[in-house]
Amino acid sequence: MSTSNPLSTGTDYDTLATRFRPIFQQIAAGTLEREKARALPYEPIAWLKKAGFGAVRVPAEYGGAGASVAQLFELLIELAEADSNIPQSLRGHFAFVEDRLNAPPSAERDAWFARFVAGELVGNGWTEVGGVKIGDVITQATPNGNDFLLSGRKYYSTGSIFADWIDVYAQRSDTGADIIAVVDAHHAGVTQSDDWDGFGQRTTGSGTSVFDRVPVPAAHIIPFQTRFKYQTAFYQLVLLAVLSGVGRAIERDIAFEVRERKRVYSHGNAPTAHADAQIQQVVGQISAQVYAAQAATLRSAAPLQRAYIARFSGDADAERQANIDAEIETAKAQVVVSELILRAATDLFNALGASGISEHKALDRHWRNARTAASHNPLVYKARIVGDWRINGTEPPYVWQIGDSRATA
């Protein structure tokens, strides 16, 4: 085990992105057909695994790319332009990587870094649906000798169907402590279903995971209170990257459609659509909205990097302030980015004729995907949290849960 603690402080972005852009292009070439067939992106994710995409945040000293938080999210925006489902599928993976980056040096942390560099991915199993009271966790880890057996059912298991491991939020049956149990996704006791029924982001693999007495080594039981503090901001940033990438795809597609359009209206302003000043204005407005969305997303990544560095600085006040900033800035970005991209996803049809709504083109997928990503972590609550901070100095919540209101009565 290394006793040093090298940090991922950033690398040359152009060099980093050049490694992956050919894969992003290859992914983009098949996105429309996957959308129409609702085909899960097993092959594209395998390409990313082989290229080491899942290890970009791992320090270079351990074989990763040493990327900063902002550089990771800039890459995710580029990937989301190619296929917005895939960054969301990797949301749980990069959150678990971030958690291990924030863990103290240990042989176990070294082992996880080695797994990430080898291409292994981690999925997500946190949410339980149905009559689950807020604060309750039905999934249980039961002691079994020196190790544990995990049983339970999770929904919204984004990316787990592609993963080698699953990061499962559970409780210990003996102590009632909240934990993370890291499960072998390939064990016979793990059953996964692609039963996500949302109208957007349909190929993220966000269905049901069932765990039936799955063995978990004691070393893979992580106390939840040690989870990295800016996790909610991190999860939100993935969704902001998805939205920004959707925006870039909208900008790309509307420019192509207008450029290639042959038919014009008799009461238009030019003999071709691409020369019509009003159509140019629609495209220019969309481009500006996408620019602002991406800028807000990347700016809100900065305090997460500061929180990561401060984690090991010994300065508790600096770490606390960085974590507050991470929550507040990602919340502010969520409010504006969601609105900007949803507007762009509708306005793109103002530059096209009736042919723009052809199912063959599937341009509606941009709105459906954006609306789905924007529906996570309701932005009305985020706006209120920001307002309460600005007015009253109320520290934002770092962890929140969802449950059946009837079960809390």
Side-chain angles (χ1 to χ4, degrees), residues 34 39-49 161-163 194 203:
R34 286 192 298 273
L40 296 180
Y42 288 106
E43 190 174 26
I45 287 177
W47 299 334
L48 292 168
K49 287 179 64 171
I161 205 165
F162 311 114
D194 179 30
T203 62

Side-chain angles (χ1 to χ4, degrees), residues 66-131:
S68 68
V69 172
Q71 289 173 334
L72 166 64
F73 283 99
E74 193 166 0
L75 277 178
L76 291 180
I77 290 171
E78 291 197 38
L79 176 56
E81 179 184 357
D83 184 336
S84 66
N85 292 272
I86 295 177
Q88 191 166 346
S89 296
L90 299 175
R91 187 180 184 218
H93 171 78
F94 283 114
F96 187 75
V97 172
E98 201 69 23
D99 189 59
R100 295 301 83 202
L101 287 168
N102 279 265
S106 69
E108 186 61 24
R109 191 183 75 163
D110 289 355
W112 279 113
F113 285 169
R115 293 180 185 116
F116 303 148
V117 170
E120 296 181 23
L121 295 179
V122 182
N124 163 75
W126 279 41
T127 304
E128 297 172 350
V129 296

Side-chain angles (χ1 to χ4, degrees), residues 122-282:
V122 182
N124 163 75
W126 279 41
T127 304
E128 297 172 350
V129 296
V132 182
K133 184 169 126 180
I134 291 177
D136 278 0
V137 183
I138 296 173
T139 301
Q140 298 283 302
T142 302
N144 182 45
N146 293 325
D147 298 318
F148 293 82
L149 294 174
L150 185 79
S151 294
R153 175 185 293 264
K154 298 289 186 177
Y155 193 55
Y156 304 119
S157 305
T158 306
S160 293
I161 205 165
F162 311 114
D164 303 289
W165 304 91
I166 306 176
D167 168 355
V168 183
Y169 180 57
Q171 283 185 344
R172 287 183 53 154
S173 66
D174 54 342
T175 65
D178 293 338
I179 58 166
I180 296 297
V182 192
V183 173
D184 179 355
H186 305 298
H187 190 274
V190 179
T191 304
Q192 300 189 70
S193 303
D194 179 30
D195 56 350
W196 161 242
D197 66 350
F199 59 60
Q201 295 294 91
R202 295 187 294 191
T203 62
T204 55
S206 298
T208 300
S209 297
V210 178
F211 307 97
D212 182 12
R213 294 178 59 80
V214 181
V216 184
H220 288 192
I221 298 292
I222 303 170
F224 185 74
Q225 68 265 26
T226 68
R227 189 80 173 182
F228 72 111
K229 296 294 187 290
Y230 53 93
Q231 64 172 336
T232 301
F234 189 95
Y235 282 122
Q236 184 57 55
L237 253 178
V238 176
L239 297 173
L240 292 173
V242 167
L243 285 163
S244 296
V246 169
R248 286 171 53 137
I250 292 167
E251 183 180 7
R252 175 201 66 206
D253 288 352
I254 190 58
F256 173 82
E257 291 292 334
V258 169
R259 193 162 50 241
E260 296 298 311
R261 184 169 173 77
K262 307 302 181 188
R263 291 162 63 86
V264 296
Y265 289 95
S266 61
H267 53 300
N269 304 294
T272 61
H274 63 260
D276 190 309
Q278 286 186 282
I279 303 302
Q280 292 171 353
Q281 182 178 1
V282 172

